[in-house]
């Protein structure tokens, strides 16, 4: 239940309780996952649009924000980093290997089985419509170690302590950027093949993240 997610500071990105839809096990960009933030001054758990496009941006919403661009003060990400820091709680995430038309999905999760907290930045504005202009992008960095064989980029995953600092309005932009550079290492994760059915976002079976 949402109140239980809030109480534990975690939720599940591929298994989300939605009063309208029930449980969801496969959540792609363009949907509305649960996020956490303190942008209104108090800890908040709510659904936000996964994808960000400011009003002047005429292309499709961007679902990921490159860490190197954030650290280099890219104009595109400057305001979201200052005013829109969020956390996307999850149990793991999906990546794909192989050629187009023959993609193999993998599920990546912490080796210790604990939930994860992914850093995100957004165009959030109090009272704004939940859409691409107020939506969020997950911060990503280069992969390393064996994970690079699955995908060359990975979400920036924070510890619980760092996630709280990341969301804290008192944390400066420079302090927030520093937190992004000390994310959990690749060695903290494990990955395995899952059913190819998750390539269809309509597939919402409980076996979505089970090993094949």
């Amino acid at each position: 239940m949402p109140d239980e997610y809030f109480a534990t500071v975690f939720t599940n990105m591929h298994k989300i309780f939605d009063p309208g839809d029930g449980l969801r096990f496969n959540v792609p960009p363009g949907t509305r996952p649960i996020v956490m933030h303190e942008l209104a001054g108090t800890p908040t758990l709510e659904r936000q649009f996964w994808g960000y496009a400011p009003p002047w941006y005429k292309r499709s919403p961007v679902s990921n924000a490159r860490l190197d661009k954030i650290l280099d003060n890219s104009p595109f990400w400057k305001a979201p980093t200052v005013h829109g820091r969020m956390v996307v709680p999850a149990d793991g995430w999906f990546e794909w290997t192989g050629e187009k038309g023959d993609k193999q999905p993998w599920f990546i999760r912490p080796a210790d089985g604990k939930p994860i907290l992914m850093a995100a930045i957004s165009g959030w504005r109090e009272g704004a419509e939940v859409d691409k202009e107020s939506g969020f992008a997950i911060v990503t960095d280069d992969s390393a170690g064996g994970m690079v064989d699955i995908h060359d980029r990975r979400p920036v995953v924070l510890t619980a302590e760092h996630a709280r600092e990341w969301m804290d309005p008192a944390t400066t932009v420079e302090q927030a950027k520093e937190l992004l550079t000390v994310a959990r290492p690749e060695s903290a994760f494990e990955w395995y093949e899952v059913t190819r059915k998750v390539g269809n976002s309509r597939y919402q079976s409980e076996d979505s993240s089970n090993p094949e």
Side-chain angles (χ1 to χ4, degrees), residues 13-14 50 90-96 106-110 116 118 143 147 150-151 153-157 189 191:
M13 192 171 175
H14 72 287
W50 183 3
D91 277 355
W93 70 92
F94 295 108
E95 294 291 4
W96 280 259
W106 296 69
F107 188 64
I108 303 174
R109 67 180 185 184
I116 61 177
M118 294 182 285
S143 291
M147 193 183 291
I150 305 302
H151 200 277
R153 300 196 66 76
R154 50 154 289 196
V156 171
V157 177
F189 299 89
W191 46 90

Side-chain angles (χ1 to χ4, degrees), residues 57-72:
Y57 192 68
K58 303 306 179 184
R59 300 179 183 178
S60 299
V62 180
S63 57
N64 296 319
R66 290 177 59 106
L67 176 58
D68 56 333
K69 299 293 186 181
I70 294 172
L71 297 180
D72 287 342

Side-chain angles (χ1 to χ4, degrees), residues 168-196:
D168 190 339
T171 299
T172 68
V173 173
E174 291 309 311
Q175 290 171 332
K177 289 180 178 179
E178 179 64 25
L179 293 172
L180 297 178
T181 67
V182 292
R184 295 176 65 179
E186 278 74 6
S187 59
F189 299 89
E190 62 183 11
W191 46 90
Y192 50 82
E193 296 180 355
V194 295
T195 176
R196 293 178 183 239

Side-chain angles (χ1 to χ4, degrees), residues 39-50:
L39 298 174
T42 58
T44 301
L45 181 72
E46 64 182 9
R47 290 187 176 277
Q48 286 295 333
F49 183 80
W50 183 3

Side-chain angles (χ1 to χ4, degrees), residues 1-111:
M1 297 293 182
D3 57 342
E4 294 173 347
Y5 295 154
F6 188 77
T8 59
V9 197
F10 295 115
T11 187
N12 178 335
M13 192 171 175
H14 72 287
K15 180 181 177 184
I16 293 179
F17 178 85
D18 184 317
D21 299 334
L23 290 172
R24 291 183 59 84
F25 296 83
N26 187 3
V27 183
T31 57
R32 298 182 180 187
I34 290 174
V35 301
M36 296 187 68
H37 64 78
E38 295 185 31
L39 298 174
T42 58
T44 301
L45 181 72
E46 64 182 9
R47 290 187 176 277
Q48 286 295 333
F49 183 80
W50 183 3
Y52 171 65
W56 52 265
Y57 192 68
K58 303 306 179 184
R59 300 179 183 178
S60 299
V62 180
S63 57
N64 296 319
R66 290 177 59 106
L67 176 58
D68 56 333
K69 299 293 186 181
I70 294 172
L71 297 180
D72 287 342
N73 296 314
S74 164
F76 191 94
W77 298 117
K78 187 172 183 179
T81 304
V82 176
H83 304 295
R85 299 194 297 268
M86 296 181 168
V87 162
V88 181
D91 277 355
W93 70 92
F94 295 108
E95 294 291 4
W96 280 259
T97 57
E99 300 299 323
K100 185 177 181 180
D102 188 31
K103 294 283 189 178
Q104 172 61 57
W106 296 69
F107 188 64
I108 303 174
R109 67 180 185 184

